Amino acid sequence: MENELINIKNNAVSLILDAKDPDELEHIKLQFLGKSGQLTLVIKRLPKINPEKRREVGILANEVKESIESAIIEQEVRIKNQELGKRIKKIDVTDPGIRPPLGHLHLITQAIWEITSIFEKIGFGRVRYPEVEWDWYPFGALNFSENHPARDDWETFFIDAPPHPKYGPMLLTPHTSNGQIREMEKGKLPIKMLNIARCYRRQSDVSHTPMFHQFEGLAVNTSLSISNLKGVLEYFVKTYFGEERKSRIRPYHFEFTEPSFEVDVTCGVCLGRGCKLCKEGWLELGGAGMVHPQVLRNCKIDPEKHNGFAFGWGVERVLMMKEGIEIDDLRLLYSNKLEFLEQF
Ligand code: DAH
């Protein structure tokens, strides 16, 4: 029986070494190790032989099995490597190199950089504040009433954490206006800040994503006026959208500014004449206003001595309004679809 086993091993290994493809190997495997393979049949006879020899023969049979199995694995690797070798061309060192694909910054990051550099030129420095906040910063200190609908958890994402004894529940910033409070409470005047951050609201459709970006400007000094605010808006509109675009302010209401305005900019397609896209020539940009005296007081700034103006607009929104960029579904921006992102 020992001889029989040795013969099986030699036969199997030489067949394996000659095998040219995975199918042939599979066939050989069955021939020796399958249910009625040659080795399997010998092993099945083991219980019938003399118990003294049985152990020794058993060990040999196992060794044979292992040798066949590892020969099969090694041959598999050899076949694969040969296939690969056939596919790899000889290297010609004089061939021109292949340029590796280069990525670029996301469309929104590009917009954030552009907006930052526009405001830096007139002295607004970029700041960053927490995007996980206490209620006080985006709501309480900004004069939002206790039962204001924005606080409703259908609008704002609340964090499941115990509330702060002084600052209230924990939440994700629904706008960048928390940055006004964070900046003012530092007590360093005058202020010219630009807070650009992610904002979060419970919304998702073609023109809304649950996460989006805003940029928020705040200036606090001794005698600022609406014309200072208007000057900054006009400067931004002309630099970002183009010299031919105009801006206007309309009375509006926000809790934390008095007076408050909505800022419009002339439509990039008809330049204010009125067209299918804008109807009356103007597109809405976002909010602005003179900082409410109570908001100053909330940050320990004396409204008799200081005043300020603020504005807060959506990065995605101004980007869409820039001529030439039309995105049917805003959610595409954050879908990681390369066919879309590579265009910008
Ligand atoms: N935070 C407001 C919003 O998300 C926008 C806004 C309005 C910001 C008026 C301001 C402002 O700074 O003065 O709708």
Side-chain angles (χ1 to χ4, degrees):
M1 206 164 186
E2 281 103 322
N3 282 345
E4 203 178 338
L5 281 169
I6 303 286
N7 279 340
I8 287 177
K9 178 177 138 184
N10 291 342
N11 271 340
V13 171
S14 78
L15 281 173
I16 289 167
L17 286 175
D18 282 344
K20 301 271 179 308
D21 57 58
D23 285 347
E24 207 178 329
L25 269 182
E26 192 54 38
H27 185 76
I28 298 168
K29 194 170 171 180
L30 279 177
Q31 186 184 339
F32 290 93
L33 308 176
K35 257 195 193 149
S36 39
Q38 291 182 27
L39 181 65
T40 318
L41 294 179
V42 175
I43 291 172
K44 276 188 185 156
R45 274 168 29 218
L46 272 178
K48 293 191 191 120
I49 66 173
N50 171 352
E52 278 159 36
K53 282 201 87 184
R54 198 185 297 153
R55 197 181 123 76
E56 224 175 286
V57 179
I59 290 172
L60 180 64
N62 249 336
E63 281 170 8
V64 169
K65 190 172 175 219
E66 276 165 21
S67 310
I68 295 177
E69 279 169 348
S70 55
I72 289 176
I73 292 170
E74 279 165 28
Q75 186 66 6
E76 261 169 9
V77 174
R78 229 171 275 137
I79 292 173
K80 261 195 206 133
N81 285 345
Q82 274 167 6
E83 292 278 305
L84 223 89
K86 274 186 222 153
R87 263 185 269 150
I88 296 172
K89 279 196 303 180
K90 289 232 170 66
I91 294 173
D92 176 353
V93 291
T94 65
D95 264 356
I98 300 164
R99 216 176 267 280
L102 260 192
H104 64 71
L105 292 173
H106 190 277
L107 183 55
I108 293 298
T109 310
Q110 293 179 36
I112 289 175
W113 284 23
E114 187 180 352
I115 293 165
T116 307
S117 101
I118 291 175
F119 280 105
E120 267 172 4
K121 293 203 176 81
I122 54 167
F124 285 81
R126 175 145 186 216
V127 295
R128 280 167 183 277
Y129 289 116
E131 291 169 7
V132 181
E133 265 291 19
W134 303 108
D135 176 280
W136 170 253
Y137 291 95
F139 291 132
L142 291 166
N143 283 345
F144 281 75
S145 61
E146 212 43 65
N147 49 9
H148 192 283
R151 269 214 189 85
D152 192 318
D153 57 10
W154 282 103
E155 269 289 326
T156 298
F157 292 103
F158 286 88
I159 306 282
D160 195 5
H164 189 286
K166 209 163 132 201
Y167 300 128
M170 196 190 276
L171 43 78
L172 298 182
T173 46
H175 57 176
T176 42
S177 304
N178 66 313
Q180 294 192 28
I181 307 302
R182 288 269 176 196
E183 182 73 22
M184 288 192 282
E185 74 171 10
K186 283 186 185 164
K188 271 198 216 137
L189 296 172
I191 291 170
K192 263 173 112 179
M193 71 137 213
L194 184 72
N195 177 35
I196 310 186
R198 277 174 282 259
C199 300
Y200 307 85
R201 291 185 198 176
R202 292 182 64 150
Q203 51 184 21
S204 179
D205 57 44
V206 288
S207 52
H208 295 93
T209 50
M211 186 282 299
F212 59 103
H213 299 77
Q214 283 187 345
F215 57 107
E216 180 101 9
L218 170 72
V220 179
N221 211 327
T222 46
S223 55
L224 292 170
S225 67
I226 297 173
S227 41
N228 295 124
L229 168 63
K230 186 71 179 29
V232 170
L233 304 182
E234 191 74 10
Y235 161 76
F236 174 74
V237 167
K238 296 240 182 278
T239 322
Y240 185 74
F241 294 107
E243 275 301 321
E244 67 290 358
R245 309 284 283 271
K246 292 195 182 72
S247 72
R248 73 174 182 194
I249 52 176
R250 274 184 290 117
Y252 201 73
H253 169 79
F254 291 106
E255 273 68 13
F256 41 97
T257 42
E258 183 56 39
S260 301
F261 309 105
E262 191 93 286
V263 183
D264 298 333
V265 54
T266 47
C267 165
V269 176
C270 65
L271 294 180
R273 285 186 295 273
C275 68
K276 263 202 304 217
L277 178 80
C278 64
K279 309 260 175 352
E280 287 169 1
W282 294 92
L283 299 168
E284 231 177 76
L285 201 60
M290 302 305 289
V291 181
H292 196 292
Q294 185 56 40
V295 173
L296 293 171
R297 265 182 236 117
N298 289 343
C299 303
K300 304 201 169 52
I301 295 175
D302 181 357
E304 298 299 322
K305 291 192 188 128
H306 288 94
N307 72 345
F309 64 78
F311 53 89
W313 305 332
V315 174
E316 287 80 355
R317 191 171 170 76
V318 295
L319 186 65
M320 296 305 104
M321 282 167 60
K322 210 169 172 165
E323 201 187 350
I325 299 182
E326 250 176 67
I327 299 176
D328 294 336
D329 188 341
L330 212 59
R331 289 170 294 192
L332 258 179
L333 281 174
Y334 304 110
S335 64
N336 281 347
K337 286 213 169 72
L338 280 183
E339 318 84 85
F340 171 74
L341 295 172
E342 278 170 349
Q343 299 173 71
F344 303 101

